[in-house]
Amino acid sequence: MPVVLRALRQTFVTALAVTVLAVPIATPWAALPVRGDLVVAGMSMPVEFATAPGRPRDLFIVEQGGRIRILRDGVLLPAPFVDIGPLVLAGGERGLLGLAFHPKHATNGRLFVNYTRAGDGATVVASFRVSAADADRVDPASRGELLTVAQPFENHNGGALRFGPDGYLYIAMGDGGSGNDPGNRAQDPQELLGKMLRIDVDHGAPYGIPPGNVYAGSGGGRPEIFASGLRNPWRFSFDRVAGDLYIGDVGQDAQEEVDFLPRDAAPGANFGWRVVEGTRCTGLPNGPQCPSPSFTPPILVYEHGEGCSVTGGVVYRGRAIPVLYGRYVYADFCTGRMWSAARDRNGAWHAEALAETGHQIAAIGEDAAGELYWSDLRTGDVHRLAGDPSVPVAIEYYNGANGHYFLTAFADEAAYLDAGAFGGAWQRTGYGFAVARPLESGAVDVCRFFGAPATGLDTHFYTGDAPECAVLKANPRWTYEAVGFRARPPAADACAPNTRPVWRFYSDPATLAGVNHRFTTDGTVHAAMLARGWLAEGVAFCAK
Ligand SMILES: [Ca+2]
């Protein structure tokens, strides 16, 4: 994160206001139908979001100067959760930077913060408990220091904290600062700087070392190290469904990058800094050969023409925007550009523009329901990403009782299913895709058929192919239900630019129970269905 003027804090510290406004953000090249809603205006340098297990109404927002605020049901509570301002050296890239709640917070009340210490500027990871008398207050007397790391320069403090799916606390450390990592710290196993650390807060005093850590017991390096070769990991997250780790790592002069490790990846990944920046060898001395197969390359990069400082985000797992489900959302701090990215069916990553916010996006986070928020450091405003209701979306449902997938683009039908029709057997999978508007040129009708169980089928089927639609209409085993939605037809199993393939899967009754179909745009789902023995039947139609 680049330098932020100290004056900003003074300007906004007294300007707290609570408003909820629907403000469309400028999205001239957005590929997905989204908008931003202003949730809170004028906070004091909001730099991080966190949620607490057992508190589904609350989103915690970290202010760089040392306060943590509670956004409850979309309204900012007037009193801070905690204010550790006197302990914190704030300004530029320093301050209160990280917050994570213990996985068992609902019973033990523990939380963890990462801040720059007043006086010497060292990074401190400390623990607190909520007050026994008031769960909306932290007990200041409960503070305990876990880890202190001296900082040789003001910048590159990383700072995010997250608990992984393994229950350990992950701590993102920058390389110590200046430029080009002058101490070569990110590659030095005797340094905690430039690393992703992993500690066990439930054993040991003040913490234990997870037995799988790279140097746990070996003596070859600091035992807290989980991964190395990071420059300034500005915001990382775990996908709450898949458990995968995503790290936004801020670049030097050329490229911004996002690094990735799948759930349960072995410790010891080296993301390459300062030997490599993004995908480019830096030529800096005293590193291993470059390029090196020992480095884990980024999954996403962009050049310094598209931005200058990446802000790592989250994999969207909310309900408000079905077209975004399962996609990783990240942004650039300098330009306010926001992207979403996902893997295709071959495992390759692709990013596409999501919005031009014009904001200084310091943090992207999710609330307890998985809805996505971001903060604008310039204004102190917090925004929530919302779907654009004017764009029709096909929403996927699944019936666990009979393994039946279903798509609907009819809002009243979705509301009926969401209200628990058929005893609640139908549940949203989270996935969906944007379909064509009713009169959109170039789109075709997608016929929706139901094969009732009595006919030996038990499935819904969708086709945008007019001859196939006519054939099925004449087949007594299939019941024609409606034009389900409109979509663009594929050409030779491919889709035009700015549209995405909807792949059709078939469960062959010869090998799996029952006739079944599923339609998806998602490469991860594609791979999962193949692994489950479903047959890929190519591109059914093209969606947005
Ligand atoms: Ca790297």
Side-chain angles (χ1 to χ4, degrees):
M1 187 177 68
V3 170
V4 176
L5 297 177
R6 254 165 236 260
L8 273 176
R9 181 172 169 221
Q10 286 149 14
T11 303
F12 289 108
V13 75
T14 55
L16 295 167
V18 178
T19 50
V20 178
L21 299 168
V23 180
I25 51 181
T27 56
W29 43 282
L32 295 175
V34 296
R35 65 164 207 271
D37 291 348
L38 179 62
V39 179
V40 191
M43 295 188 69
S44 175
M45 296 170 52
V47 290
E48 180 63 307
F49 299 97
T51 55
R55 300 183 65 151
R57 299 169 62 194
D58 294 341
L59 177 64
F60 296 83
I61 307 174
V62 176
E63 294 181 325
Q64 193 173 352
R67 294 192 300 186
I68 300 172
R69 311 293 302 274
I70 302 174
L71 186 73
R72 176 165 296 158
D73 299 330
V75 176
L76 196 67
L77 300 191
F81 184 49
V82 67
D83 184 354
I84 59 166
L87 301 175
V88 174
L89 179 59
E93 299 182 17
R94 306 199 279 200
L96 177 57
L97 302 176
L99 170 65
F101 288 83
H102 193 283
K104 293 179 181 154
H105 175 81
T107 52
N108 67 20
R110 297 186 78 192
L111 58 128
F112 300 83
V113 296
N114 182 325
Y115 61 89
T116 311
R117 182 163 67 188
D120 66 357
T123 286
V124 174
V125 178
S127 67
F128 285 93
R129 291 179 197 272
V130 293
S131 161
D134 183 353
D136 291 342
R137 301 283 185 280
V138 167
D139 176 4
S142 65
R143 191 176 76 93
E145 287 191 9
L146 278 77
L147 187 66
T148 302
V149 182
Q151 290 284 354
F153 300 98
E154 292 185 13
N155 55 342
H156 300 183
N157 298 312
L161 302 173
R162 296 273 184 262
F163 280 90
D166 52 14
Y168 296 132
L169 181 63
Y170 289 69
I171 304 162
M173 297 295 302
D175 65 7
S178 186
N180 288 327
D181 190 8
N184 202 19
R185 296 178 174 91
Q187 290 295 323
D188 183 349
Q190 302 301 335
E191 289 274 1
L192 296 182
L193 296 167
K195 308 297 189 307
M196 180 65 76
L197 311 181
R198 183 175 75 158
I199 62 174
D200 179 354
V201 300
D202 295 319
H203 301 91
Y207 58 84
I209 298 299
N213 275 13
V214 193
Y215 305 109
S218 79
R222 301 290 292 272
E224 294 88 351
I225 294 173
F226 176 75
S228 61
L230 292 165
R231 183 178 175 277
N232 188 23
W234 184 251
R235 313 293 86 165
F236 71 96
S237 66
F238 290 95
D239 177 350
R240 64 165 65 192
V241 171
D244 302 331
L245 172 61
Y246 294 76
I247 307 168
D249 194 19
V250 179
Q252 178 78 39
D253 299 317
Q255 282 187 340
E256 300 301 308
E257 69 181 76
V258 175
D259 297 312
F260 174 85
L261 290 174
R263 179 180 181 140
D264 299 331
N270 184 340
F271 295 109
W273 177 250
R274 70 174 187 179
V275 181
V276 61
E277 176 188 0
T279 56
R280 292 186 193 166
C281 296
T282 60
L284 293 166
N286 303 321
Q289 189 181 355
C290 189
S292 166
S294 65
F295 295 150
T296 299
I299 55 167
L300 301 160
V301 294
Y302 60 91
E303 304 286 333
H304 278 200
E306 291 195 73
C308 80
S309 182
V310 69
T311 295
V314 297
V315 174
Y316 179 75
R317 295 295 185 181
R319 265 182 64 154
I321 318 168
V323 295
L324 202 60
Y325 188 85
R327 297 181 68 83
Y328 177 67
V329 178
Y330 62 107
D332 186 77
F333 175 81
C334 307
T335 63
R337 272 179 200 159
M338 196 179 280
W339 297 266
S340 78
R343 279 164 286 194
D344 67 19
R345 56 180 161 173
N346 300 314
W349 290 88
H350 301 277
E352 61 187 34
L354 183 62
E356 291 272 21
T357 67
H359 301 158
Q360 278 190 345
I361 299 177
I364 297 172
E366 57 182 333
D367 65 15
E371 299 306 333
L372 190 148
Y373 296 73
W374 73 89
S375 67
D376 179 355
L377 203 65
R378 184 188 294 117
T379 60
D381 295 348
V382 170
H383 304 260
R384 179 173 53 217
L385 200 66
D388 179 347
S390 71
V391 175
V393 174
I395 297 168
E396 187 185 60
Y397 287 82
Y398 180 68
N399 186 327
N402 58 14
H404 189 137
Y405 289 96
F406 176 67
L407 289 168
T408 184
F410 300 117
D412 53 350
E413 191 172 47
Y416 183 65
L417 292 174
D418 290 341
F422 307 108
W426 292 96
Q427 299 288 327
R428 290 190 187 213
T429 64
Y431 291 98
F433 45 84
V435 296
R437 295 172 192 271
L439 299 176
E440 190 171 312
S441 65
V444 296
D445 289 345
V446 174
C447 300
R448 180 172 122 187
F449 291 94
F450 176 51
T455 66
L457 305 166
D458 187 7
T459 186
H460 274 83
F461 185 78
Y462 306 78
T463 180
D465 182 70
E468 187 174 42
C469 182
V471 166
L472 290 188
K473 279 181 175 174
N475 183 331
R477 294 179 76 196
W478 289 98
T479 302
Y480 172 72
E481 291 192 328
V483 173
F485 45 85
R486 284 169 59 81
R488 290 173 182 276
D493 220 33
C495 289
N498 300 318
T499 67
R500 60 184 72 195
V502 180
W503 296 299
R504 188 169 83 209
F505 280 89
Y506 173 61
S507 110
D508 182 350
T511 54
L512 296 166
V515 173
N516 220 326
H517 296 88
R518 188 177 189 186
F519 298 76
T520 186
T521 60
D522 189 279
T524 302
V525 172
H526 190 289
M529 297 311 285
L530 284 180
R532 285 162 60 181
W534 289 51
L535 303 176
E537 294 197 320
V539 179
F541 32 81
C542 304
K544 300 284 181 61

